[in-house]
Amino acid sequence: MSKGKEKVSNKQFRWLPPMHETMLRILAQEAHKGNKPSSTFKAGSFALVAKEITAQFGVECHPSYVENRMRTLRTMWSTIQTIRKKSGFGWDDNLKMIICDPKTYQEEVMAHRKHAEFLNKKIEMYDELAIVVGKDTATGGFSKSGVDLEHEPHNADESAEYVADNVEEDVVEKGKNTVESSTTGSGISKSRKRKHSVSNADESVLTDLSDQLKEIAVALKEINRGPVDYTALYNEVMTMMADGYSEDMLATAFDHLCENEKTARGFLAKNARLRKLWLDSFLFTQL
């Protein structure tokens, strides 16, 4: 063992966010090389990750640590997919974010407190996670996961329900086309007219939501070009006193944002409604 590298046991090894990202990046590349022949990787892939983490972070990492970390990632992936399939939750594929309204958010967090970390927040390295622990084939680019494919609509009834529960524009369009094409024969029934009307209303709402998220994406790109303006950040946080938050609460949130640059950038990119959602989630975790 080289000088300066800390020897730790499996139980003591702490996976820091940069280590997590390094692991996902390397394993996604390994999958593209064909080193994930089934649901798991070849032993050499785990050894490669361990070697790279040891070299980069100066902490001795063993392949067994990587293999154990895979269990955590599979649990994380399972949780994300479970939430995505629930009624009331949508998915923005550009931001890699599970989205929901405040009422749905509160109900979900009250029932499953740890799910807050996956709601209305970008899931970092989602595509790589899909390759590493999902059912993606990893050929040519990040393909659609097996979980998504298993839940594609197959008939008119499924399509109507799928449209109501999903915010992806391409899924909305697919569901609407399926409903329309399935009702042929002797004219347009009243039932079909009602479905068409509901579909149009849903599509209008979802289109507005998608436009808002696109605006956030553009804002994120602008914000990421330079350092965080912490004076501006402080002013933006404190303006939320008008929404009924105390100065002490907002000061705590500001301190947290200062310690997490990515989160701070995301906060500045959000509109007023999404900022309140984030703040409610943060304050809930402090209880």
Side-chain angles (χ1 to χ4, degrees):
M1 180 176 68
S2 60
K3 185 177 180 180
K5 291 182 180 178
E6 182 184 358
K7 185 175 181 180
V8 294
S9 70
N10 189 19
K11 292 183 178 180
Q12 295 173 328
F13 193 86
R14 182 183 179 189
W15 284 89
L16 302 175
M19 296 179 183
H20 170 85
E21 294 174 3
T22 297
M23 174 179 172
L24 286 176
R25 175 176 54 79
I26 294 175
L27 290 182
Q29 293 172 352
E30 287 293 289
H32 278 287
K33 294 176 183 177
N35 292 327
K36 184 188 176 186
S38 58
S39 60
T40 188
F41 287 85
K42 295 181 180 179
S45 298
F46 294 155
L48 182 63
V49 173
K51 181 179 179 181
E52 185 65 23
I53 289 177
T54 297
Q56 281 192 33
F57 302 99
V59 181
E60 188 168 351
C61 178
H62 295 284
S64 62
Y65 301 172
V66 180
E67 189 172 0
N68 287 336
R69 180 63 177 176
M70 285 288 291
R71 298 190 182 96
T72 301
L73 296 182
R74 290 190 184 98
T75 299
M76 181 189 302
W77 179 256
S78 177
T79 299
I80 292 170
Q81 298 308 314
T82 296
I83 298 173
R84 285 186 60 179
K85 288 183 286 184
K86 287 186 176 183
S87 176
F89 294 91
W91 174 253
D92 184 276
D93 198 47
N94 292 322
L95 296 179
K96 308 302 178 186
M97 180 189 295
I98 299 174
I99 53 180
C100 61
D101 59 43
K103 182 176 182 295
T104 303
Y105 176 91
Q106 292 294 345
E107 290 175 351
E108 183 67 18
V109 173
M110 289 297 292
H112 307 282
R113 181 174 177 177
K114 292 185 178 180
H115 287 189
E117 64 179 296
F118 302 116
L119 303 179
N120 296 323
K121 298 177 183 178
K122 179 180 180 181
I123 300 174
E124 299 292 341
M125 301 191 74
Y126 177 88
D127 287 332
E128 288 82 355
L129 186 64
I131 292 296
V132 173
V133 294
K135 297 180 181 179
D136 288 347
T137 55
T139 54
F142 293 124
S143 60
K144 199 167 188 178
S145 72
V147 173
D148 292 332
L149 293 174
E150 289 172 4
H151 293 86
E152 287 287 348
H154 297 294
N155 56 51
D157 291 335
E158 279 186 330
S159 298
E161 180 180 357
Y162 197 76
V163 170
D165 293 342
N166 215 297
V167 298
E168 290 183 273
E169 289 182 275
D170 59 332
V171 178
V172 170
E173 196 64 32
K174 186 185 298 181
K176 185 179 71 173
N177 291 339
T178 306
V179 171
E180 291 176 351
S181 63
S182 65
T183 54
T184 57
S186 57
I188 302 175
S189 66
K190 292 182 180 179
S191 175
R192 177 183 172 183
K193 288 181 180 179
R194 285 195 299 270
K195 285 183 180 180
H196 184 69
S197 176
V198 172
S199 179
N200 286 340
D202 287 342
E203 185 174 0
S204 177
V205 173
L206 298 177
T207 299
D208 290 341
L209 181 57
S210 179
D211 289 341
Q212 292 179 24
L213 292 172
K214 287 177 182 177
E215 290 177 6
I216 293 175
V218 172
L220 277 171
K221 289 181 181 178
E222 292 298 322
I223 291 173
N224 285 332
R225 290 181 179 178
V228 174
D229 185 338
Y230 289 102
T231 299
L233 176 64
Y234 177 82
N235 291 334
E236 291 296 329
V237 171
M238 288 303 164
T239 59
M240 300 182 73
M241 288 180 66
D243 296 314
Y245 299 100
S246 71
E247 186 177 15
D248 290 343
M249 288 180 178
L250 295 177
T252 300
F254 174 71
D255 290 340
H256 175 78
L257 291 170
C258 288
E259 295 173 358
N260 299 272
E261 184 175 323
K262 286 184 179 180
T263 306
R265 292 180 186 279
F267 177 86
L268 289 171
K270 290 179 169 65
N271 60 26
R273 186 180 69 82
L274 292 179
R275 285 180 181 180
K276 288 181 66 177
L277 282 175
W278 176 86
L279 185 58
D280 289 341
S281 172
F282 171 74
L283 295 176
F284 185 84
T285 63
Q286 304 303 302
L287 297 178

